[in-house]
Amino acid sequence: MGNLQLDDSALERLQARLGVRFKDRSLLAQALVHRSLVNEADLADKDCNERLEFLGDAALGLVAAELLYRRYPDRAEGQLTHSRASLVNLESLGDIGGGLDLGEFVQLGRGEHLSGGRERRSVVGRAMEAVLGAVYLDQGLDALRTLLEPMLIAELDRHGWEGPAKDFKSQLQEHLQANAGPTPEYELVSMEGPDHHRLFTMSVRSGDAVLALGEGSSKQRAEQAAARAALTAILDAEGTTDVPAAD
């Protein structure tokens, strides 16, 4: 295994950090079981944290939506949707989980552990979602709201209501370089419409391979859209994280 099974003292430490005392601590323990451990520990699929992650994602979305609805009474539905997306994506969840040092508690298979999974934002973010699902099941929505709202408000205060800025071009370049891929290059595919309402289409390629196309009202926006589409496709194929949040 990538690490020892959690003992009672570890669960006590995590509960103290969360400020939540579980009635059923097995829920918290399950929230920390990464899928990579399933085969190595001869567990069933249902024993990993993915079902709790699914529930936590839904509960988080509800709490975030309610908070934004109350905090920004003058914002339109589209703006609230944008802000919620910035709060519930794996990057923000990874930051929140990182603030709790959640990675030290996640139970990983040996391969995932050796490849640095404990520090990987997607792993920590997914575990955070699962912990939220466990809190919801064990304590109910009010307790989850009490836990989550200060964290979400801190994210809003840090980044503004629109959430953290996303530079998908930088993310794509870093990911390709980390995997020894050629540096991405952007090319104009087409430019349509009148001067005051242009629509640009850009392609992004790595070596000889065209990774994706993107559209936008400027070349820069189209490049970001293309980078996001490429990054989404790459990460989806790797199965390492969710689709990046919209910029």
Side-chain angles (χ1 to χ4, degrees), residues 24-36:
D24 181 0
R25 292 202 297 184
S26 68
L27 286 169
L28 179 58
Q30 183 179 356
L32 302 167
V33 177
H34 188 263
R35 165 161 285 281
S36 62

Side-chain angles (χ1 to χ4, degrees), residues 187-193 198-203 213-216 219 222:
E187 297 176 359
L188 179 65
V189 175
S190 66
M191 180 178 64
E192 303 174 354
R198 284 278 169 86
L199 179 65
F200 295 86
T201 300
M202 302 292 295
S203 68
L213 300 178
E215 296 180 340
K219 289 183 179 179

